[in-house]
Amino acid sequence: MRIKKGFLPNIKEKMISLGIESTAHTFGVGIIDSNGNILANVKDSYTTSKGGIHPTEAKEHHLRVKDKVVEDALSEAGIDMGGVDLISFSQGPGLPPCLVVGMEKAKQLARDYKKPLVGVNHCVCHLEVGRVITKAKDPVMLYVSGANTQVIAYEGGKYRIFGETLDQGVGNFLDNFARYIGMGFPGGPKIYELALKGKEFIELPYVVKGMDISVGGILTNVKQKYDSKKFELEDLAYSIQETVFAMLIEVAERAMAHCEKEELLLGGGVCCNKRLQEMAKIMCKERGAKLYVPQNNVLVDNGLMIAWQGLLEKDGVRKIDDIDIKPGWRTDQVDVDWR
Ligand code: AMP
Ligand code: MG
C-alpha cells in the first residue's frame, strides 16, 4: 500500500521511520518511508479469555513480545536497523507500565544504533494516519477506543476536543460489561456478535451533556438489568450498541455543524464496529457530508500510525535522556506545527 502524493511530509532525502506503540493492550511496530510506502505494520496484543485488561499483566506481555515484534517488523520491511533513519514511540496518553516498555525499547534502539528519537501523542497519531490513508482533508474525527472517546477537529493550530466522555471510554465500557458477563478482553467484538442476535430494544439511560457523553450510569443500569434475569442478553447487547452509538453520532454531528466541517473520520478500535459505521454513514448522508473509515488494522492501536507521526514531527527530536512518558497527555496540548 502507498500513500498518495500531496499528503507526504516535506522531506528531501528519503527517510525510513520506525514507530513503537505500547499505550495499552497492543505492542505494535510500524515502518514507513517518507515517500509514503508502508513497509511493515506488526503487532502482538494482550487478550484474556475471562478477565479484563490488567496493567501489570499487559506490561509483562509487552516485555515478552517486544524484541520479536521489532524483529518481525524489520524482516517484513526487508531492512535492518541500519536502514532506519528515525525512531518514534507513543509517549502518551496511556497506562504508565505499558508506556514505559515502549519507551525503553525505543530508547535502547536509538542508543544502540545512534538514531534520532521522537515521542508522539497517541490520539493525534490516530487522526493523522486516518487522514493520510483515507485522504480526508479537514475532518471532524470521532475517536472511540478503549480508554479514549473524543470528538476532535483542527482549529487554530491545535487539535481541539469538541466533545468527550466525562467518565470512561466507550471501549472500556464495552469491555467492562463483557467482563461482567464472563466474556474476555477485548469485549467489543463479543458484544457485537451478541447484538446481531438481539430482537427487542430495551430502553437504557441516554446520557449526552452538551457536547459530552457519560457511560458510567448506563454500565450500572445494564449490569442491574442483566442481574435481574428479566432480559435476554442479546437484547441487552443490541440496546447497548443502539443507545451508546447514537450518543456518539449525536455529538459528532453537533461538532460537524458547529465547526462547519463536511468530513467525518472514524478512529479507534470501537470504530471497527459495523453498526457504528452504519450509523455514521446514515448521519453523514443526511447532512451531505463525507465519511472516511480506515481499515481495521489502522483503526485499532498500531505502530504504523506512530511511525507516520514520527515523520511529520521529525524536527521535534530531543536528547534521549530528556524524554519521558506522558501518561495524561491530552490531544489539545499538542502544538500542531506540521500542517
Ligand atoms: P484501541 O484501544 O483503539 O485499540 O481499541 C480497543 C477497543 O476497541 C477495545 O475496547 C475493544 O473492545 C474495542 N473493539 C474492537 N473491535 C470492536 C468491535 N467490532 N466493536 C466494538 N468495539 C470493538
Ligand atoms: Mg488508541
Side-chain angles (χ1 to χ4, degrees):
M1 188 170 173
R2 204 166 179 290
I3 285 168
K4 284 252 171 71
K5 279 209 174 110
F7 281 91
L8 300 176
N10 190 13
I11 298 172
K12 287 200 185 79
E13 301 272 307
K14 184 175 111 174
M15 283 182 86
I16 294 186
S17 169
L18 179 148
I20 299 181
E21 159 59 29
S22 77
T23 54
H25 45 77
T26 292
F27 193 92
V29 174
I31 304 177
I32 190 166
D33 73 23
S34 51
N35 291 333
N37 296 304
I38 296 168
L39 306 179
N41 191 17
V42 180
K43 65 171 181 143
D44 193 320
S45 298
Y46 161 84
T47 58
T48 73
S49 58
K50 266 185 119 186
I53 177 168
H54 191 294
T56 314
E57 281 172 22
K59 170 190 145 191
E60 298 297 330
H61 164 269
H62 295 353
L63 285 171
R64 267 196 313 279
V65 304
K66 65 181 177 18
D67 296 338
K68 180 150 192 323
V69 177
V70 171
E71 276 166 30
D72 288 353
L74 287 168
S75 107
E76 191 173 307
I79 57 169
D80 57 23
M81 277 307 295
V84 172
D85 301 300
L86 176 73
I87 298 170
S88 55
F89 75 101
S90 247
Q91 202 167 6
L95 300 169
C98 300
L99 287 170
V100 167
V101 180
M103 179 183 71
E104 290 304 336
K105 184 66 197 172
K107 284 189 173 183
Q108 178 229 317
L109 290 172
R111 280 200 189 95
D112 290 356
Y113 298 95
K114 303 202 169 24
K115 306 290 179 187
L117 179 65
V118 59
V120 295
N121 180 291
H122 174 94
C123 308
V124 167
C125 293
H126 272 288
L127 202 153
E128 287 297 355
V129 82
R131 228 160 54 87
V132 76
I133 287 211
T134 64
K135 328 276 183 301
K137 289 191 189 68
D138 185 24
V140 166
M141 180 167 83
L142 177 60
Y143 170 40
V144 195
S145 71
N148 303 293
T149 294
Q150 301 174 341
V151 179
I152 307 167
Y154 180 79
E155 286 278 354
K158 297 234 163 133
Y159 282 123
R160 315 270 171 191
I161 301 174
F162 284 87
E164 64 190 311
T165 176
L166 297 172
D167 38 38
Q168 53 189 309
V170 169
N172 281 2
F173 158 85
L174 295 170
D175 295 335
N176 190 312
F177 184 64
R179 179 170 79 221
Y180 193 73
I181 60 176
M183 300 179 125
F185 174 85
K190 291 168 186 159
I191 304 278
Y192 174 74
E193 291 302 323
L194 284 172
L196 288 175
K197 296 184 216 125
K199 292 192 186 77
E200 221 166 298
F201 179 75
I202 302 158
E203 192 156 337
L204 301 176
Y206 182 97
V207 194
V208 172
K209 302 187 180 193
M211 300 291 282
D212 298 320
I213 69 158
S214 157
V215 291
I218 305 176
L219 183 60
T220 308
N221 187 283
V222 286
K223 284 179 176 175
Q224 284 167 349
K225 287 199 163 65
Y226 174 75
D227 288 341
S228 76
K229 300 198 169 60
K230 286 189 200 144
F231 303 92
E232 296 294 330
L233 181 56
E234 290 80 3
D235 291 341
L236 277 177
Y238 165 70
S239 309
I240 285 173
Q241 287 196 172
E242 293 304 303
T243 306
V244 175
F245 294 171
M247 288 160 40
L248 291 171
I249 297 299
E250 180 187 330
V251 290
E253 179 169 26
R254 197 168 301 137
M256 290 170 81
H258 174 76
C259 300
E260 297 180 351
K261 299 205 196 249
E262 273 146 25
E263 299 172 315
L264 180 68
L265 172 66
L266 300 186
V270 179
C271 291
C272 296
N273 189 293
K274 295 283 173 233
R275 178 59 181 147
L276 179 56
Q277 292 181 5
E278 188 182 18
M279 285 186 178
K281 199 169 162 188
I282 294 167
M283 181 269 276
C284 286
K285 193 167 174 224
E286 282 178 358
R287 30 182 320 110
K290 266 194 153 172
L291 174 67
Y292 295 92
V293 188
Q295 64 268 28
N296 282 3
N297 68 348
V298 176
L299 284 173
V300 297
D301 287 352
N302 64 88
L304 182 70
M305 65 182 190
I306 311 300
W308 174 248
Q309 191 64 27
L311 286 175
L312 297 180
E313 292 191 56
K314 64 173 193 349
D315 299 333
V317 166
R318 305 233 324 268
K319 259 175 60 191
I320 295 178
D321 290 340
D322 293 346
I323 297 175
D324 202 356
I325 58 167
K326 297 183 179 177
W329 197 12
R330 280 175 62 86
T331 310
D332 48 12
Q333 289 172 325
V334 179
D335 286 321
V336 181
D337 52 12
W338 58 84
R339 57 172 273 179

